[in-house]
């Protein structure tokens, strides 16, 4: 990265440092730790999240997920639905909201598609109530965007267009537009 991208990344990391005070941060993974996770999972983390967990903090008990904070990379919250293997490098299957509770399909493909939403192409950032989860999408058309997945469906946050990790943290920190 160079020029504008460097300035943008630096400004974004400073905003994230401010949002997560040092006393609430978990130790950063380091560049090597992030690279190892990416290699193991065949996925590259989007910026500024990637640099944030490498250099600033790999999770925090304080954070946008009001219930438990920001999870460390690769962790799953208690109550995570066991819907098969997580494959962060697989393509995230959605590009628009899908409310499966309104869908009458009950075929095996339907159930597999739900499992894929939970497990493909994302990392879990945290939970708000152990039925609702915040995902950062790593692959596909929604790469770098925040999605909200619950027992009834999945949607880009805040919808209909998803925002980035940095914007998500800023909305939480200021309270402006958090649940608009």
């Amino acid at each position: 990265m160079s020029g504008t991208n460097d300035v943008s990344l630096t400004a974004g990391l400073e905003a994230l440092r401010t949002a997560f005070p040092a006393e609430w941060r978990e130790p950063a993974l380091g560049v090597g730790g992030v690279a190892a996770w990416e290699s193991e999972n065949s996925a590259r983390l989007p910026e500024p999240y990637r640099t944030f967990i490498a250099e600033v903090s790999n999770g925090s008990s304080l954070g946008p997920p009001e219930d438990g904070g920001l999870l460390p990379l690769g962790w799953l919250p208690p109550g995570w639905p066991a819907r098969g293997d997580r494959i962060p490098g697989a393509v995230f299957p959605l590009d628009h909201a899908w409310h499966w509770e309104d869908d009458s399909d009950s075929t095996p493909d339907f159930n597999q598609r739900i499992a894929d939403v939970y497990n493909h192409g994302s990392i879990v950032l945290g939970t708000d109530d152990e039925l609702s989860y915040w995902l950062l999408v790593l692959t596909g058309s929604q790469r770098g965007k925040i999605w909200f997945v619950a027992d009834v469906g999945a949607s880009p946050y805040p919808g209909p267009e998803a925002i980035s990790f940095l914007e998500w943290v800023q909305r939480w920190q200021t309270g402006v537009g958090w649940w608009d």
Side-chain angles (χ1 to χ4, degrees), residues 112-133:
Q112 182 60 53
R113 187 169 181 221
I114 293 171
D116 290 351
V117 170
Y118 276 94
N119 292 317
H120 288 180
S122 68
I123 57 168
V124 182
L125 297 175
T127 182
D128 272 331
D129 59 15
E130 294 194 21
L131 292 176
S132 306
Y133 305 95

Side-chain angles (χ1 to χ4, degrees), residues 14-21 25 62-63 169-170 172-173:
E14 188 54 39
L16 291 168
R17 279 187 185 92
T18 300
F20 297 97
R25 296 179 195 160
L62 177 71
V169 169
Q170 290 171 324
W172 162 75
Q173 186 182 27

Side-chain angles (χ1 to χ4, degrees), residues 4 8 49 60 63-64 66 68 75 78 82 90 99 109 115 124 137 148 161 169 172 177:
T4 304
S8 177
Y49 178 80
S60 173
E66 299 290 340
W75 286 31
H99 301 284
D109 288 345
V124 182
V137 177
F148 191 69
E161 299 295 321
V169 169
W172 162 75

Side-chain angles (χ1 to χ4, degrees), residues 69-82:
L70 184 65
L71 290 173
L73 177 62
W75 286 31
L76 297 174
W80 177 256

Side-chain angles (χ1 to χ4, degrees), residues 50-111:
R50 184 178 198 271
T51 300
F52 173 72
I53 63 164
E55 298 179 7
V56 179
S57 178
N58 182 27
S60 173
S61 57
L62 177 71
E66 299 290 340
D67 187 9
L70 184 65
L71 290 173
L73 177 62
W75 286 31
L76 297 174
W80 177 256
R83 296 185 179 265
D85 294 332
R86 288 206 38 81
I87 308 172
V91 175
F92 185 72
L94 300 177
D95 56 13
H96 60 276
W98 177 37
H99 301 284
W100 49 76
E101 86 168 345
D102 297 333
D103 199 331
S104 62
D105 191 352
S106 62
T107 65
D109 288 345
F110 174 80
N111 293 328

